[in-house]
Amino acid sequence: MTRPARFYINMKTYKNLYPEIYSLKNLFFAWKEARKGKTKRNYIIEFEKNLGVNLRALHYELKFQIYKPKPLKTFILRDPKTRKISKSDFRDRIVHHALIRVIEPIFDKSFICDSCANRKGKGTLYALKKFEKFRRKITSNYTSFGYCLKADIRHYFQEVDHEILLNIIKRRIKDEKMTWLIGIILENNVPDNPKGKGMPLGNLTSQFFANVYLNELDYFVKHELKAKYYIRYVDDFVILHSSREKLLSWGGDR
């Protein structure tokens, strides 16, 4: 998925963003976001007993690049399909929020409208409404046949390549310290994943990086295939078309 890179050539690049990450103001707001809906959890109560000290410690560790995340805690979730969720320590989740607060607005501008997951103003309801709108379009308001290609990316969260992801990020962000922090977060991975590949399902950063990584796919589908009715939700996507043959040419006759 490297061909669509040319669509990024004229996009603005950013430098010297790293101090924004570790500023106490940003860490404070990141803490508030990380604790939402979880204020009665024991680990949050414990962290907040010395909130000022703990936030200043994160500030110091990030500023002098001595920050090291704690090992992930992994558990099995069935809702209804079985998934392995790997959870970061609360202090590390604050760092994740601090990072996303700074870089999300930069990348979100480049995302297509119909990338629906983990974005403000989007979500499952938005995706469903867009699907119904597209379905009406391709069937001339349900008066003719329409077809849908539904697919996903097999083992996406286990297979995402860190080097490719970092190269995509470096097109926009020319800040070595920022690259260092993102690399540290990516390296704190599920033990089963091969070195240099995969992201833990459960981290805020993993959800965001999925949109950055798969934005390459979005641009390919929209600009190379010229698919007009395309929706993606994390690693699941659909393409709708009035022609079955066109979808088969894109997805393979299976």
Side-chain angles (χ1 to χ4, degrees), residues 171-220:
R171 292 181 201 149
R172 303 299 307 279
I173 297 176
K174 308 294 186 182
D175 187 326
E176 290 184 5
K177 291 182 178 180
M178 186 76 83
T179 303
W180 167 82
L181 177 60
I182 294 170
I184 288 288
I185 292 170
L186 290 173
E187 287 169 12
N188 191 35
N189 205 348
V190 181
D192 295 346
N193 288 340
K195 185 174 177 60
K197 284 193 173 183
M199 297 187 296
L201 185 59
N203 276 359
L204 172 69
T205 46
S206 298
Q207 310 305 314
F208 172 74
F209 290 146
N211 281 340
V212 173
Y213 197 86
L214 295 176
N215 195 39
E216 303 286 294
L217 170 66
D218 298 341
Y219 272 68
F220 175 77

Side-chain angles (χ1 to χ4, degrees), residues 40-165:
K40 295 183 180 179
R41 303 282 175 89
N42 288 335
Y43 61 83
I44 292 182
I45 293 170
E46 193 64 30
F47 186 90
E48 292 174 355
K49 284 180 181 178
N50 293 294
L51 179 62
V53 171
N54 287 328
L55 290 182
R56 281 193 291 272
L58 275 178
H59 166 81
Y60 181 88
E61 291 172 29
L62 290 167
K63 181 176 181 178
F64 293 101
Q65 294 182 272
I66 57 173
Y67 165 74
K68 290 183 179 179
K70 295 185 178 181
L72 302 169
K73 292 183 179 178
T74 300
F75 58 94
I76 302 299
L77 185 67
R78 295 176 175 86
D79 66 336
K81 67 179 181 180
T82 301
R83 295 185 298 164
K84 183 185 286 187
I85 306 296
S86 295
K87 189 176 179 182
S88 291
D89 189 82
F90 181 63
R91 78 192 301 268
D92 298 322
R93 278 179 264 162
I94 294 173
V95 174
H96 298 172
H97 278 275
L99 172 67
I100 300 304
R101 279 175 54 82
V102 173
I103 68 173
E104 183 178 38
I106 294 170
F107 285 93
D108 194 73
K109 296 173 186 176
S110 70
F111 295 161
I112 67 166
C113 181
D114 297 323
S115 166
C116 301
N118 310 301
R119 297 178 66 196
K120 293 175 183 176
K122 309 287 183 177
T124 52
L125 183 58
Y126 174 92
L128 288 170
K129 286 181 176 178
K130 212 57 185 287
F131 183 88
E132 283 303 312
K133 180 180 178 180
F134 288 169
R135 192 167 78 156
R136 287 196 301 271
K137 291 269 190 183
I138 65 165
T139 60
S140 299
N141 208 23
Y142 311 121
T143 61
S144 62
F145 284 106
Y147 302 90
C148 176
L149 168 65
K150 181 183 182 298
D152 65 10
I153 299 170
R154 187 179 182 186
H155 300 152
Y156 168 71
F157 279 97
Q158 293 97 319
E159 295 294 332
V160 61
D161 188 293
H162 295 177
E163 185 178 358
I164 292 174
L165 174 60

Side-chain angles (χ1 to χ4, degrees), residues 1-15:
M1 287 188 291
T2 57
R3 290 175 63 192
R6 64 173 180 273
F7 295 112
Y8 293 85
I9 289 173
N10 295 322
M11 286 188 174
K12 180 179 178 182
T13 58
Y14 295 80
K15 300 178 181 180

